[in-house]
Amino acid sequence: MDRNNIEEHLEDYLRGSLDPRAAAEFDKALAADEATHAMVKQFQAQSELLRALRPPASLAPEDLEPAPGFYARVLERVEQQRSTSIWTVFAEPHFFRRLAFASGALLVLLGVVMATAEPEAPVFAEQQQIVSPEMELAREPEPVLDVTSVTSGDRARILVDLTTYEQ
């Protein structure tokens, strides 16, 4: 009996359901290969342990069912013992959906700002003093020069100021 036949009949041998002739042939094949014989002996020990774990036939399957809420308590205990780290946030499937939504919202917001901004006014311009009409009216008027007391040098300066004045 070669190794393939040993593998085919192993479960029957461990269960004890091989006929006497096949069992004798199986034992003879095991005696020929020492490594396989040691492995089958370990399988037999494991098989006996597993048979010992079977419940008695007198118990009904309903008696073996866990108490109500058992699985919920186990899951709750597992969740309590799970260590939280900063990297668990990235493992959540909703994180990437939220990240994509936030990125898209930011792009839309920036697009709206760029579309509605005046083209000649830079976005980050220096703040200029804004004068409202009420502030303009509340300001004291500038003193008026008396033209009769002005010298000729002052007249030339006033003429230059008047000609270069921009509104």
Side-chain angles (χ1 to χ4, degrees), residues 32 34 37 46 69 77 83-84 88 93 101 107 111 121 128 134 144 158:
E34 201 53 44
H37 182 60
Q46 292 294 323
R77 188 172 290 172
S83 64
T84 57
T88 57
F101 178 74
L107 284 174
Q128 297 174 353
E134 292 84 19
V144 179
I158 291 174

Side-chain angles (χ1 to χ4, degrees), residues 113-144:
V113 167
M114 294 301 287
T116 58
E118 295 178 13
E120 63 268 355
V123 177
F124 299 108
E126 295 180 16
Q127 286 191 347
Q128 297 174 353
Q129 185 176 3
I130 299 173
V131 180
S132 66
E134 292 84 19
M135 290 176 67
E136 187 69 35
L137 292 175
R139 194 168 57 184
E140 287 194 24
E142 295 180 15
V144 179

Side-chain angles (χ1 to χ4, degrees), residues 83-104:
S83 64
T84 57
S85 94
I86 189 68
W87 302 112
T88 57
V89 172
F90 298 113
E92 292 181 13
H94 299 293
F95 173 76
F96 294 107
R97 225 179 283 157
R98 290 177 187 161
L99 182 64
F101 178 74
S103 301

Side-chain angles (χ1 to χ4, degrees), residues 19-82:
D19 59 54
R21 184 182 61 80
E25 193 176 317
F26 193 85
D27 286 333
K28 188 176 36 151
L30 284 180
D33 188 3
E34 201 53 44
T36 307
H37 182 60
M39 193 181 332
V40 169
K41 286 295 181 191
Q42 289 177 350
F43 288 157
Q44 279 180 324
Q46 292 294 323
S47 179
E48 289 170 9
L49 286 173
L50 289 174
R51 276 194 217 110
L53 291 175
R54 286 189 183 154
S58 61
L59 285 177
E62 299 85 34
D63 296 337
L64 299 175
E65 289 293 322
F70 171 76
Y71 296 112
R73 288 191 306 269
V74 169
L75 285 175
E76 183 178 318
R77 188 172 290 172
V78 167
E79 288 295 325
Q80 287 175 349
Q81 292 178 355
R82 181 183 292 175

